[in-house]
Amino acid sequence: MFLSVFDVFKIGVGPSSSHTMGPMSAAVRFLDLINSDEWPRPSGASVASLKVSLHGSLAHTGIGHGTGRAVILGLMGERPDMVDPDRMDAIIDGVERSGRVTPPGHPAYQFQPKTDLVFDKKNPLPGHANGMSFSAFDRDGRLLLKRVYYSIGGGFVVTDTELEAMRKSKKAAGGAKVPYPFASAQQMLDMADRSGLTIAQMKRANEEAVMGREELDAGLDRIWDAMRSCIDRGLKVDGIMPGGLNVRRRARAIHDKLQEEWRSNRINPLLANDWLSVYAMAVNEENAAGGRVVTAPTNGAAGVVPATIRYYQHFHEDWDQHGIRDYLLTAAAVGGIIKHNASISGAEVGCQGEVGSAAAMAAAGLAAVMGGSPEQVENAAEIALEHHLGMTCDPVAGLVQVPCIERNALGAVKAVTAASLALKGDGKHFVPLDACIETMRQTGNDMSEKYKETSTGGLAVNVVEC
């Protein structure tokens, strides 16, 4: 099993990897399909109009997550990693006024968002909670092409047939032959023991089987630069976040207070936790506002990994760029195992699969760069994930704000605590990471749908909207 570090960490826009980035990518895939020869196009037929229907969690929380906006942007040819956040509103406004989408390399297609973009809450699609259907018609309204896509978490998008093939073959993404193809934590530990390599070294060897070292390092540096820039932006901006809940950004004000304490040398026994929290909140406030973020492994959990890396820089004098690369490689190795054997999708297993997975990845990465053995790294990941088991996904008003922003802060604190606990032991522990991942999968299967990113239970219905 091989899932690249650049599949786990993808640069995109907020507020959701599964509900924003995924649908945008699906729309682009459908456009590419229209222009291809991979479907039985009737002689002389040409596409004149498009329709899209969103199902399951995408329908229930799509408005708050910006899913409709993402579909429109995707149908205009915009991609999550390339779209300019400052231009998105103007692009969407143009489509709504003209009733057409004009993607590059295509003729104009009729698309009226009010009628051609349907949030179907009554008819979930069978493959996954995040299902969507794209249809293309000729000028006479005859259906020419239809495809079902599923956004399976972390920005990953697959067709219905691809999803079925994945489940049958038990392969998550990518079939490249690599020297250390671990599909479980135990396999990872066994390979580390036989090879004498760290988890980061094995992951690097796998990545370098498909790309050069310079390309890999440049890509890792680009990921961290995007994460760092997101933190910096979030610490500079204040005001009310969009969506109607009137939730105020807090990261800048907290950061200013911490800077004042830092300069005055006042004793603060919670200093490390405060910095961790403000870094994570800065990222997720940016995400909630639709800014540029990195899936880690999802947008809803995007603050945990960057916050712990910034903590590593802030409180450990021996940090360096090589350490950050090793952190990302180790975290990606753990994230890939979780995705392969369970899920990173809140719509599938609740927030245990998002913030829980992020905390496990962050704990593993931090333990690695602080000198942990492979066994201690695996222990750190298990501790962090275990103490997120059962966590529901119940965003108020379908917005990635409450409880998501603070939840990332607490996820980062748990990750650092988990790494510290693991490093104080010898790596031997009672619950294996694989057992914890399987427990998360089973718990997600048993969890009521109203607690899996549908905003029909939990805080979403018990908090009065003002």
Side-chain angles (χ1 to χ4, degrees), residues 53-122:
S53 60
L54 305 172
H55 302 262
S57 178
L58 295 182
H60 283 284
T61 63
I63 294 177
H65 283 63
T67 306
R69 291 167 52 85
V71 168
I72 295 171
L73 290 166
L75 292 179
M76 285 291 288
E78 299 288 350
R79 299 173 186 271
D81 60 334
M82 300 295 292
V83 63
D84 181 353
D86 294 330
R87 292 187 59 244
M88 293 192 300
D89 287 344
I91 294 171
I92 292 165
D93 181 63
V95 173
E96 290 176 340
R97 284 188 291 104
S98 67
R100 300 187 309 164
V101 289
T102 55
H106 292 254
Y109 301 127
Q110 294 298 313
F111 184 77
Q112 295 279 358
K114 289 184 178 180
T115 56
D116 295 330
L117 179 57
V118 178
F119 291 80
D120 186 348
K121 297 180 180 179
K122 295 182 179 180

Side-chain angles (χ1 to χ4, degrees), residues 268-293:
N268 177 0
L270 299 176
L271 186 63
N273 283 354
D274 288 345
W275 281 106
L276 271 170
S277 298
V278 77
Y279 291 147
M281 291 173 65
V283 171
N284 285 86
E285 287 176 357
E286 275 295 294
N287 179 63
R292 178 78 64 204
V293 296

Side-chain angles (χ1 to χ4, degrees), residues 257-428:
K257 291 179 181 178
L258 289 173
Q259 289 278 51
E260 183 181 344
E261 287 183 0
W262 190 269
R263 288 190 293 266
S264 66
N265 291 321
R266 279 183 284 179
I267 296 176
N268 177 0
L270 299 176
L271 186 63
N273 283 354
D274 288 345
W275 281 106
L276 271 170
S277 298
V278 77
Y279 291 147
M281 291 173 65
V283 171
N284 285 86
E285 287 176 357
E286 275 295 294
N287 179 63
R292 178 78 64 204
V293 296
V294 179
T295 63
T298 66
N299 282 26
V304 178
V305 165
T308 51
I309 297 178
R310 193 69 165 255
Y311 162 87
Y312 166 59
Q313 287 185 312
H314 196 148
F315 291 98
H316 294 268
E317 293 182 354
D318 58 347
W319 80 270
D320 57 21
Q321 195 68 19
H322 177 72
I324 292 176
R325 293 168 186 165
D326 279 353
Y327 178 112
L328 291 172
L329 289 166
T330 305
V334 170
I337 291 170
I338 294 173
K339 186 180 188 307
H340 178 69
N341 293 295
S343 175
I344 58 171
S345 169
E348 196 168 21
V349 296
C351 198
Q352 59 176 348
E354 296 206 26
V355 171
S357 297
M361 293 163 58
L366 187 60
V369 298
M370 292 178 67
S373 66
E375 291 78 13
Q376 289 173 316
V377 168
E378 184 261 1
N379 187 15
E382 188 280 324
I383 294 171
L385 182 59
E386 179 181 340
H387 298 289
H388 285 87
L389 290 177
M391 182 175 283
T392 60
C393 183
D394 51 354
V396 178
L399 298 168
V400 193
Q401 297 179 16
V402 180
C404 318
I405 294 170
E406 288 181 353
R407 187 167 284 176
N408 275 258
L410 272 294
V413 171
K414 286 185 181 181
V416 171
T417 302
S420 180
L421 286 172
L423 290 170
K424 288 177 172 60
D426 59 5
K428 296 178 182 178

Side-chain angles (χ1 to χ4, degrees), residues 158-169:
V158 294
T159 65
D160 48 358
T161 54
E162 289 168 349
L163 181 63
E164 183 64 24
M166 278 173 47
R167 288 173 173 170
K168 286 182 178 179
S169 64

Side-chain angles (χ1 to χ4, degrees), residues 43-56:
S43 178
S46 61
V47 174
S49 63
L50 306 174
K51 293 183 183 294
V52 181
S53 60
L54 305 172
H55 302 262

